Amino acid sequence: MTIEELLLIALAVSLDAFGVAIAIGINDKATVAKKFAFALSFGFFQFLCSFIGGVGGKLFTENVAAVPSVLGGIVIAIVGILMIKEGMEEKDDNFILSFKMYFVLGISVSIDAIVVGFITFSSISSLATLGLATAIVGIVTMIMSLIAFILAKFLGKINVVGKYGDYIGGIILILFGIKMIFF
């Protein structure tokens, strides 16, 4: 996997967090400290879920059966389709800014990273390299969340903006899945 592919994957899985961060950012009760805590939460859980998925994929590949790239591409494309479908669903604009929401929202925007980690990071040979790759996913997510908080100052309607993150992320994952299937 090239650095460009890794950054595209990181960008794709971070767009859920980007959409949620915009929703939180336009809430006038969200302080700078809370926004930063959400960005850290989103980045940490993207890292953790990607890492867990990568380790699970590696163990599965080594002990059960190798996951062919065609199957992996299909799964990645399905995750992309599900992200687009999620973008079409109506989302609740009322976010509770309590401490438990750092965990709830952090995990909820990172679930797809487990599947992506399972398929794309299972071929990484060492835990240190896997840790570095998934840390990049977490850092990209944190940066994207911080950018979303900055952009939220200028955005008025969350229903339009929040959906685009899911669509773009889904399209990127579908394209990456097609690349895995055919190339």
Side-chain angles (χ1 to χ4, degrees), residues 27-93:
N27 184 332
D28 57 357
K29 294 180 179 141
T31 64
V32 171
K34 287 185 179 197
K35 291 175 185 176
F36 190 73
F38 272 112
L40 284 174
S41 170
F42 294 162
F44 172 75
F45 283 109
Q46 285 284 14
F47 155 74
L48 184 63
C49 289
S50 297
F51 188 81
I52 289 169
V55 169
K58 184 171 177 47
L59 291 173
F60 183 83
T61 301
E62 290 174 353
N63 298 312
V64 178
V67 178
S69 61
V70 171
L71 178 62
I74 291 169
V75 171
I76 293 290
I78 289 171
V79 171
I81 291 167
L82 292 174
M83 283 180 72
I84 291 171
K85 179 183 173 284
E86 182 181 317
M88 293 179 182
E89 296 172 358
E90 189 67 28
K91 296 178 183 170
D92 185 12
D93 292 344

Side-chain angles (χ1 to χ4, degrees), residues 100-167:
K100 70 179 179 179
M101 291 308 286
Y102 297 122
F103 298 99
V104 171
L105 291 175
I107 292 169
S108 70
V109 300
S110 303
I111 294 299
D112 56 347
I114 293 174
V115 176
V116 172
F118 186 89
I119 300 299
T120 59
F121 298 141
S122 63
S123 63
I124 296 176
S125 59
S126 75
L127 281 180
T129 306
L130 175 63
L132 178 61
T134 55
I136 290 171
V137 170
I139 291 168
V140 167
T141 300
M142 187 180 79
I143 291 169
M144 290 295 292
S145 299
L146 293 171
I147 290 170
F149 288 131
I150 293 167
L151 290 176
K153 292 180 189 178
F154 306 106
L155 300 174
K157 298 286 182 186
I158 188 58
N159 286 337
V160 174
V161 176
K163 287 183 181 179
Y164 288 135
D166 290 326
Y167 293 138

